[in-house]
């Protein structure tokens, strides 16, 4: 359909199919110019037309955009051999495409997208190893100190068995003592430190890198657009052995709570561990209907005699959080009452049940992230969403029916709107896309991408 026909068709359609065709044509145009703009941004850094044509040609044949493991650096190959498992096909594809990108003459800007627990972190680690193996530096930024420590310890444990000179990895967060922070910043500046894992501290002006070649922003949705700027592959398969979590939505009535407590007791007797997640730490006069983590500690302790309860929230000091989490991991604590501080990256493989209080207060993607904290071991795990309102209960049913993060993100998109794709706006509709609805028009975006190429 011609553009002029589309304008007539959208305002005065002959029939419904005429209106639909017109709408699709106008949406295609909006997406086409967006894609074209992105391609021009990407090609800007290249000097000659031959280079530009060569790169575009490679992007037109994405099946060639991978490198076989023989072409990886020695360090990446050795770290790959040290893994106690083999990569899934999705992980293998993603890391191959990333390493292909790293060998290109234009800056890589990729979104490594994957569901909760599908192994994105190891893909990012391997990409960092490739860069370090070529003599450059890597930075790995995460939203919480707890996650930074966990990644740091995970990577050190992985590199421990390396039989050659190990890359120097440092941890830099807001809690790093001043003297140590100064030594680390100096090591980053001289190039002595190959990789640094940390929080917002990594983008402070006082941190200067000698030869930074890759910056990984983990859980990037937790950072602002500008924060990400200061510093698109897709994994869909879960590692083998992951058992889907059974999800239940329950009304927060007296009977509902009795049912939940009985399920918790059965789980504890069977040797399981339970997370209880709360929307707030302390009771609030403004929100009397909300259960609070610290206030419930005594209630839950009395309810489950013979089982130890612990408390974990964002106001605790970093070492207190680590200590509590450590006790939960070793089995000294059986029930952990926490706020959404556990949403990101907390890994206790034998935690087998999660109960979310006032779950209507959480976003759908957030609940899916929380649910990802259980089901990491070999036990069949359960997630119970307690809702205080009937309308809340209906929305949560979607989580009961789906464990697919992409589907849930799509539902979230339907409910909340897509935000601003190219600029700095964080939420709401797209003013430059007056007709397009991302949740239903994604296929046209793909067609426009191909046409722009």
């Amino acid at each position: 359909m011609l553009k002029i026909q589309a304008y007539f068709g959208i305002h005065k359609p002959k029939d419904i199919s005429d209106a639909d065709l017109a709408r699709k044509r106008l949406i295609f145009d909006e997406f086409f110019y967006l894609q074209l703009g992105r391609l021009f941004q990407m090609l800007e850094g290249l000097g000659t037309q031959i280079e530009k044509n060569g790169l575009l040609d490679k992007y037109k044949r994405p099946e060639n955009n991978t490198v076989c493991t023989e072409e990886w650096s020695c360090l990446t190959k050795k770290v790959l051999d040290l893994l106690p498992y083999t990569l899934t096909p999705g992980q293998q594809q993603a890391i191959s495409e990333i390493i292909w990108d790293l060998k290109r003459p234009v800056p890589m800007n990729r979104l490594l997208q994957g569901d909760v627990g599908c192994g994105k972190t190891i893909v990012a680690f391997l990409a960092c190893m490739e860069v370090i193996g070529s003599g450059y530096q890597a930075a790995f930024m995460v939203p919480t100190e707890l996650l930074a420590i966990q990644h740091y310890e995970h990577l050190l444990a992985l590199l421990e068995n390396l039989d050659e000179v190990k890359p120097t990895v440092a941890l830099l967060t807001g809690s790093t003592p001043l003297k140590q922070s100064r030594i680390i910043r100096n090591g980053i500046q001289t190039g002595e430190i190959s990789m640094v894992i940390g929080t917002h501290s990594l983008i402070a002006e006082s941190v200067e890198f000698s030869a930074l070649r890759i910056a990984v922003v983990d859980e990037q949705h937790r950072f602002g657009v500008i924060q990400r700027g200061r510093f698109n592959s897709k994994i869909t398969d879960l590692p083998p052995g992951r058992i889907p979590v059974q999800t239940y939505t329950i009304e927060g009535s007296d009977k509902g709570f009795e049912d939940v407590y009985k399920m918790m007791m059965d789980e504890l007797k069977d040797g399981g561990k339970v997370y209880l997640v709360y929307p707030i730490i302390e009771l609030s006069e403004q929100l009397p209907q909300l259960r609070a983590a610290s206030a419930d500690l005594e209630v839950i302790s009395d309810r489950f005699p013979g089982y130890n309860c612990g408390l974990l929230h964002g106001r605790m000091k970093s070492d207190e959080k680590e200590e509590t989490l450590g006790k939960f991991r070793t089995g000294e604590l059986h029930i952990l009452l926490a706020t959404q501080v556990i949403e990101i990256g907390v890994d206790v493989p034998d935690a087998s049940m999660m109960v979310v209080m006032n779950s209507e207060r959480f976003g759908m993607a957030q609940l899916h992230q929380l649910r990802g904290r259980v089901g990491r071991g070999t036990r069949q795990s359960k997630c119970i969403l307690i809702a205080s309102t009937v309308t809340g209960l209906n929305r949560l049913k979607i989580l009961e029916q789906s464990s697919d993060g992409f589907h849930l993100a799509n539902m979230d998109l339907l409910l909340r709107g897509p935000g601003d794709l190219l600029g700095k706006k964080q939420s709401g509709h797209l003013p430059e896309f007056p007709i397009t609805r991302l949740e239903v028009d994604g296929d046209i975006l793909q067609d426009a991408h191909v046409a722009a190429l």
Side-chain angles (χ1 to χ4, degrees):
M1 182 181 266
L2 295 171
K3 189 73 174 274
I4 192 162
Q5 291 171 311
Y7 279 123
F8 278 106
I10 201 92
H11 291 291
K12 294 180 178 177
K14 298 184 193 79
D15 50 38
I16 193 76
S17 77
D18 193 38
D20 192 47
L21 273 174
R23 181 179 175 277
K24 281 183 174 161
R25 169 62 214 253
L26 294 172
I27 289 166
F28 176 88
D29 275 19
E30 290 171 354
F31 278 147
F32 178 74
Y33 291 116
L34 172 76
Q35 290 296 314
L36 215 50
R38 282 297 292 122
L39 282 172
F40 276 115
Q41 280 177 348
M42 185 184 76
L43 295 171
E44 219 172 5
L46 294 177
T48 68
Q49 194 58 43
I50 293 169
E51 282 178 306
K52 291 181 185 187
N53 290 345
L55 191 75
L56 283 175
D57 197 47
K58 286 190 168 75
Y59 275 107
K60 283 175 189 174
R61 296 177 175 80
E63 65 279 2
N64 300 335
N65 297 357
T66 57
V67 286
C68 53
T69 48
E70 287 82 59
E71 292 180 46
W72 296 5
S73 74
C74 287
L75 179 63
T76 315
K77 284 190 272 195
K78 283 188 173 147
V79 172
L80 185 65
D81 291 340
L82 289 174
L83 293 179
Y85 48 81
T86 54
L87 295 182
T88 66
Q91 288 171 319
Q92 184 80 39
Q93 175 73 11
I95 186 61
S96 292
E97 286 190 18
I98 288 167
I99 291 175
W100 179 85
D101 250 354
L102 289 170
K103 294 175 186 290
R104 303 274 66 76
V106 293
M108 174 180 74
N109 188 6
R110 273 186 178 271
L111 173 67
L112 180 67
Q113 186 179 341
D115 215 336
V116 180
C118 69
K120 297 181 289 293
T121 308
I122 198 63
V123 170
F125 277 167
L126 287 168
C128 292
M129 291 304 114
E130 181 66 23
V131 161
I132 294 165
S134 306
Y136 298 106
Q137 289 174 305
F140 204 115
M141 187 166 80
V142 299
T144 68
E145 218 164 286
L146 209 58
L147 185 55
I149 294 164
Q150 194 170 285
H151 279 350
Y152 177 66
E153 288 174 351
H154 181 184
L155 188 58
L156 287 190
L158 195 61
L159 299 177
E160 201 178 339
N161 301 318
L162 212 58
D163 55 4
E164 55 180 60
V165 180
K166 296 177 182 61
T168 313
V169 183
L171 175 70
L172 186 65
T173 71
S175 298
T176 307
L178 196 62
K179 189 179 175 186
Q180 199 183 338
S181 169
R182 206 174 286 132
I183 293 166
I184 291 168
R185 290 202 311 269
N186 187 49
I188 293 169
Q189 197 171 9
T190 60
E192 241 174 283
I193 291 171
S194 303
M195 179 168 175
V196 60
I197 297 173
T199 52
H200 297 79
S201 312
L202 297 186
I203 52 173
E205 284 179 23
S206 56
V207 179
E208 286 178 32
F209 288 85
S210 157
L212 181 65
R213 282 297 179 275
I214 189 169
V216 178
V217 184
D218 197 7
E219 303 293 348
Q220 56 86 26
H221 58 281
R222 295 287 295 269
F223 293 98
V225 177
I226 295 177
Q227 288 169 320
R228 295 198 299 263
R230 286 177 70 177
F231 224 31
N232 288 345
S233 79
K234 176 173 168 179
I235 309 175
T236 51
D237 44 355
L238 292 182
R242 279 282 167 89
I243 305 165
V245 179
Q246 289 176 343
T247 306
Y248 305 88
T249 50
I250 292 178
E251 193 180 340
S253 59
D254 290 346
K255 184 191 177 301
F257 274 107
E258 283 309 314
D259 290 346
V260 171
Y261 290 150
K262 185 184 179 307
M263 288 169 86
M264 282 173 66
M265 186 57 93
D266 290 344
E267 195 65 36
L268 291 163
K269 281 180 180 169
D270 201 29
K273 293 176 187 169
V274 181
Y275 289 108
L276 284 182
V277 184
Y278 293 82
I280 52 174
I281 303 169
E282 309 284 355
L283 285 172
S284 156
E285 284 180 20
Q286 285 76 31
L287 299 161
Q289 77 279 21
L290 297 191
R291 300 279 289 255
S294 63
D296 251 19
L297 187 61
E298 201 177 326
V299 178
I300 299 295
S301 296
D302 291 345
R303 186 82 206 205
F304 296 94
Y307 295 99
N308 298 330
C309 299
L311 187 63
L312 187 73
H313 57 73
R315 285 196 215 141
M316 288 162 70
K317 289 185 180 144
S318 188
D319 51 352
E320 288 175 326
K321 285 185 204 165
E322 266 303 298
E323 190 187 347
T324 304
L325 208 50
K327 285 179 179 175
F328 188 54
R329 210 173 267 127
T330 57
E332 202 178 319
L333 294 175
H334 308 100
I335 303 172
L336 188 64
L337 289 82
T339 54
Q340 57 265 47
V341 72
I342 65 153
E343 174 194 347
I344 303 294
V346 169
D347 191 9
V348 180
D350 54 352
S352 51
M353 180 181 267
M354 172 175 285
V355 179
V356 186
M357 303 286 184
N358 301 104
S359 52
E360 74 284 350
R361 303 284 299 186
F362 297 87
M364 214 177 296
Q366 199 175 24
L367 287 168
H368 183 57
Q369 279 280 359
L370 284 166
R371 176 170 61 181
R373 300 307 110 213
V374 292
R376 303 174 89 82
T378 51
R379 294 171 65 93
Q380 171 64 67
S381 296
K382 298 179 181 72
C383 176
I384 299 163
L385 307 173
I386 302 177
S388 351
T389 62
V390 179
T391 51
L393 210 59
N394 294 336
R395 184 174 68 93
L396 298 169
K397 290 276 179 202
I398 299 167
L399 281 138
E400 211 176 54
Q401 292 149 16
S402 176
S403 59
D404 178 352
F406 296 103
H407 170 70
L408 294 170
N410 216 30
M411 297 306 290
D412 230 9
L413 187 63
L414 269 167
L415 294 168
R416 294 192 308 135
D420 181 357
L421 285 184
L422 289 181
K424 296 165 188 165
K425 196 161 144 256
Q426 295 286 334
S427 62
H429 73 299
L430 290 169
E432 66 271 38
F433 286 1
I435 308 169
T436 306
R437 288 178 60 196
L438 286 183
E439 67 276 10
V440 292
D441 299 319
D443 291 350
I444 303 176
L445 174 60
Q446 193 53 41
D447 294 342
H449 176 70
V450 172
L453 278 165

